Amino acid sequence: MDAELTLNDSAQVPLCGPSCPAPACCRPHLLWGQADGPYLSLHLAEGSTPIALVGMGFRAVIWSLQQQQQWVLLPLLSGLFCFSGSVRKQKEENSPKMRVIRVGTRKSQLARIQTDSVVATLKALYPGLQFEIIAMSTTGDKILDTALSKIGEKSLFTKELEHALERNEVDLVVHSLKDLPTMLPPGFTIGAICKRECPYDAVVFHPKFVGKTLETLPEKSVVGTSSLRRAAQLQRKFPHLEFKSIRGNLNTRLRKLDELQEFSAIILAAAGLQRMGWQNRVGQILHPEECMYAVGQGALGVEVRAKDQDILDLVGVLHDPETLLRCIAERAFLRHLEGGCSVPVAVHTAMKDGQLYLTGGVWSLNGAESMQETMQATIHVPAQHEDGPEDDPQLVGITARNIPREAQLAAENLGISLATLLLNKGAKNILDVARQLNDAH
């Protein structure tokens, strides 16, 4: 009886026909299979040596770990693969050199943890590849004495990393998705959006206020946040509090909270605290009725060169369909509003029973004026590897070939429709005034 090794869920079809050029000695080991992007499903003869697979778009290498044999598979029609070349014995010291994939990231501890998690997933999917992490500082990391909304740079945490991508110094970059503008520079795309963690904001209290909530903090307590979005919503909800800008990475902000006696509490993204292992510092989770979150918050995005098909195939399997569709809707909403760090815009999305719900809002800087609406659309959430568009069209900077275009367009249209509704109701005036006031101070 034959033994079967299946690395994905695709249907299997014959691999080698009568005209297969593979030497007779190896045909019994590999009977048939099918390529699906970077995956390959294989059917192995009983007693065959365990193998490792490397998939890189249109080329796959099968490497026999025990026998030190290599078989190169090249594409034929309709996704079928066939042997090319010969099976050859090699000494272990002459094993073929693994391709090295270079991964760019910021230098902060959180950025490294996030990047390490993505690389760990890729290593599990591609055991025949090596990954090298290259860390660098960005503009946002270097300018720490100015509020983010005042710097006026759209790519605060991405520009230097994109320059490295452009110069082929790295092959892909891992970002917090909320740091990526809705319009990327030409030549770049988001090739993967990983499964979202908690998108909510969290409150971390000074040790002397542990056990409190924002509502029960003393009058005039100072709360630190680097976000106009958070400050505007929370000033409206908790008028007895004062909000002040606080900058730095998570470690720096927590140190300022604990040591400077200046802040009673600070607001941070819950996902970042979870990834750092600091859940014990969370004193309060802010649900959407208290504070809606930033576009893309809680999700990681993998940015690549738009025409690097090998790397797009490599990272495309990381797409989480529900997270992807929710973030397309959110990013389309923000783009159509022409929002950004300099204006308070927030969202909340949910997927339930085939319906994608999007709530979006805009606020004045002090939270006195606001406008919120909710819309929904019917969207089919596809299986992970369902066929999508063939020509790699980007939607709000995202390329997702393995997700049906119909679903992506429905999510994008939902975001545009909600933004249009708010603009028609006067949101543009609120945003224009907020932008002018922010620039003036």
Side-chain angles (χ1 to χ4, degrees):
M1 180 181 294
D2 292 338
E4 182 176 284
L5 172 65
T6 304
L7 298 186
N8 68 349
D9 296 326
S10 65
Q12 296 174 323
V13 296
L15 176 67
C16 294
S19 61
C20 175
C25 63
C26 68
R27 287 186 195 173
H29 297 285
L30 180 61
L31 300 182
W32 40 270
Q34 181 185 10
D36 179 14
Y39 285 123
L40 196 64
S41 295
L42 299 177
H43 195 77
L44 302 178
E46 184 179 13
S48 297
T49 303
I51 60 174
L53 292 177
V54 181
M56 287 300 295
F58 297 112
R59 184 174 182 273
V61 175
I62 298 180
W63 176 247
S64 171
L65 296 177
Q66 295 181 9
Q67 297 178 355
Q68 293 297 304
Q69 295 174 339
Q70 175 180 279
W71 304 316
V72 178
L73 305 180
L74 298 175
L76 298 178
L77 298 176
S78 302
L80 304 183
F81 275 69
C82 199
F83 286 108
S84 175
S86 61
V87 179
R88 58 187 184 274
K89 294 277 185 179
Q90 299 189 34
K91 295 182 180 179
E92 189 167 349
E93 60 268 20
N94 293 326
S95 297
K97 187 177 181 179
M98 290 182 178
R99 177 174 176 182
V100 178
I101 305 298
R102 299 155 302 168
V103 183
T105 182
R106 292 165 58 195
K107 287 185 175 180
S108 74
Q109 184 181 356
L110 176 59
R112 287 300 304 265
I113 288 173
Q114 293 176 164
T115 301
D116 287 345
S117 71
V118 171
V119 168
T121 302
L122 289 172
K123 282 181 176 179
L125 289 169
Y126 307 104
L129 296 181
Q130 290 184 335
F131 293 85
E132 177 187 357
I133 296 176
I134 300 172
M136 59 194 77
S137 297
T138 65
T139 301
D141 297 315
K142 297 171 184 175
I143 304 176
L144 298 176
D145 57 352
T146 305
L148 294 176
S149 59
K150 305 287 188 184
I151 299 175
E153 169 63 58
K154 289 185 178 181
S155 303
L156 284 174
F157 297 106
T158 63
K159 185 167 66 174
E160 287 78 7
L161 293 162
E162 285 170 342
H163 286 169
L165 261 181
E166 187 175 30
R167 295 190 297 264
N168 290 309
E169 295 171 358
V170 297
D171 299 300
L172 58 99
V173 177
V174 179
H175 300 279
S176 294
L177 185 61
K178 64 185 179 69
D179 291 337
L180 282 168
T182 57
M183 293 187 67
L184 300 183
F188 302 108
T189 188
I190 301 169
I193 296 180
C194 305
K195 186 174 178 61
R196 189 177 220 164
E197 295 191 37
C198 175
Y200 301 154
D201 290 315
V203 187
V204 179
F205 292 93
H206 187 280
K208 69 182 179 182
F209 291 118
V210 169
K212 296 279 190 180
T213 65
L214 291 182
E215 188 172 8
T216 60
L217 279 176
E219 190 85 14
K220 302 296 183 182
S221 292
V222 177
V223 177
T225 175
S226 59
S227 163
L228 292 179
R229 168 189 62 82
R230 292 168 180 153
Q233 293 181 80
L234 295 174
Q235 282 181 85
R236 183 182 181 91
K237 186 79 174 177
F238 305 103
H240 70 291
L241 301 177
E242 296 181 0
F243 293 86
K244 183 177 179 180
S245 176
I246 182 171
R247 288 291 318 282
N249 59 39
L250 286 188
N251 310 62
T252 300
R253 281 181 271 179
L254 284 173
R255 187 169 62 252
K256 288 179 179 179
L257 171 67
D258 293 340
E259 297 178 2
L260 297 185
Q261 307 297 318
E262 182 178 0
F263 300 98
S264 300
I266 59 175
I267 315 295
L268 302 168
L273 290 165
Q274 289 173 355
R275 290 170 182 145
M276 293 285 282
W278 294 341
Q279 296 93 324
N280 63 318
R281 292 301 308 264
V282 175
Q284 182 180 359
I285 292 291
L286 298 175
H287 294 279
E289 59 270 18
E290 297 171 302
C291 186
M292 290 199 293
Y293 44 84
V295 166
Q297 185 161 306
L300 300 181
V302 182
E303 188 177 16
V304 302
R305 290 178 290 272
K307 294 184 178 180
D308 192 339
Q309 194 58 55
D310 273 358
I311 299 298
L312 273 168
D313 288 342
L314 183 85
V315 304
V317 296
L318 300 176
H319 273 305
D320 178 70
E322 180 175 321
T323 302
L324 169 77
L325 296 172
R326 289 172 61 186
C327 290
I328 285 177
E330 294 171 15
R331 287 171 63 85
F333 172 73
L334 182 64
R335 177 190 279 190
H336 200 66
L337 283 178
E338 298 181 356
C341 287
S342 62
V343 290
V345 175
V347 295
H348 169 56
T349 52
M351 189 82 74
K352 185 178 180 181
D353 299 328
Q355 297 290 309
L356 176 57
Y357 297 85
L358 170 63
T359 300
V362 301
W363 287 261
S364 60
L365 288 187
N366 63 4
E369 291 185 86
S370 69
M371 189 174 296
Q372 296 180 47
E373 291 290 347
T374 300
M375 295 182 73
Q376 68 189 78
T378 301
I379 294 184
H380 165 59
V381 180
Q384 181 74 30
H385 298 295
E386 194 167 322
D387 288 341
E390 294 297 326
D391 53 350
D392 283 343
Q394 290 192 39
L395 294 181
V396 288
I398 300 166
T399 298
R401 294 187 63 194
N402 56 343
I403 306 297
R405 183 164 177 78
E406 179 183 356
Q408 297 184 55
L409 286 172
E412 182 189 44
N413 289 337
L414 176 61
I416 292 172
S417 297
L418 183 61
T420 300
L421 176 63
L422 288 181
L423 290 171
N424 289 340
K425 289 190 169 187
K428 187 176 188 302
N429 182 60
I430 294 176
L431 293 174
D432 286 345
V433 171
R435 194 173 284 110
Q436 291 167 8
L437 288 174
N438 182 64
D439 292 344
H441 290 80

